[in-house]
Structures are given as structure tokens and as C-alpha cells.
Amino acid sequence: MFRPKIPTMPQPTGLTAPPAVVEPTALTPGAPASPPASVAPVPARPARPAARLTPGTALALVGGGASAVLVVGAVLVSMLLAVALTATSVAVCAVAIRSVLSRR
């Protein structure tokens, strides 16, 4: 019952195709390819200008970062509070059970 049963690989049934035989072919040297026609060089695109940081965008970035920090902080504090409340309730239950058992 507890011994693992290792499945066996079933043998293929039905018609099977024989393995294909690959025969090497000889390479015949041909005439050298003509060089490609000269193509006019494509002018390079001008470099993209650097992003400019205006006072409005700087204020938006600072506000977004501050709000993200506040949200993450609120989530972490609420998780810590939940753990503290759970630990307190477990401790109160343990004291209550201990006092009930000690009176018997």
C-alpha cells in the first residue's frame, strides 16, 4: 500500500515510420555574388531633448512620492496594530483559561 508504483513506459503500438536518412550534399562553388548597390545614407534622427523638470512637474513628483510613503506607512501601521491586537486577545484568552483550570 505504501510502496510507490513506478509506471512503465508503454511501447509504441501501431505503425511507426523508420528514421529518415539524411544524405550530405556537395557544395559547388558558384560565381561570387555582386556587391550590393550603394545606398544613400539615411540621415540620423536628431537626439531627443532631455526631459525638462519644470516647477509644476517637480511639485507633482514630490506630491506623488509623499502620498506613496504615507499610504505604505498607513498599511504597515495597520498591520502592526492587527498583530498587536491579536497577540493581546490570545494573551487574555490564555489567562482566562488558566484561571478557569486552576479553580478546579
Side-chain angles (χ1 to χ4, degrees), residues 4-23:
K5 294 185 172 79
I6 300 172
T8 58
M9 291 295 293
Q11 296 298 321
T13 57
L15 298 174
T16 59
V21 177
V22 178
E23 296 180 8

Side-chain angles (χ1 to χ4, degrees), residues 2-57:
F2 294 108
R3 291 185 182 167
K5 294 185 172 79
I6 300 172
T8 58
M9 291 295 293
Q11 296 298 321
T13 57
L15 298 174
T16 59
V21 177
V22 178
E23 296 180 8
T25 57
L27 294 177
T28 56
S34 62
S38 62
V39 178
V42 178
R45 298 172 87 185
R48 294 178 64 189
R52 294 184 183 164
L53 193 61
T54 63
T57 56

Side-chain angles (χ1 to χ4, degrees), residues 9-104:
M9 291 295 293
Q11 296 298 321
T13 57
L15 298 174
T16 59
V21 177
V22 178
E23 296 180 8
T25 57
L27 294 177
T28 56
S34 62
S38 62
V39 178
V42 178
R45 298 172 87 185
R48 294 178 64 189
R52 294 184 183 164
L53 193 61
T54 63
T57 56
L59 187 62
L61 285 174
V62 169
S67 64
V69 166
L70 288 175
V71 167
V72 169
V75 168
L76 291 177
V77 168
S78 64
M79 288 173 63
L80 179 65
L81 184 61
V83 169
L85 287 174
T86 303
T88 304
S89 65
V90 167
V92 168
C93 289
V95 168
I97 291 172
R98 183 177 175 188
S99 66
V100 167
L101 291 177
S102 66
R103 289 185 186 171
R104 287 185 171 197

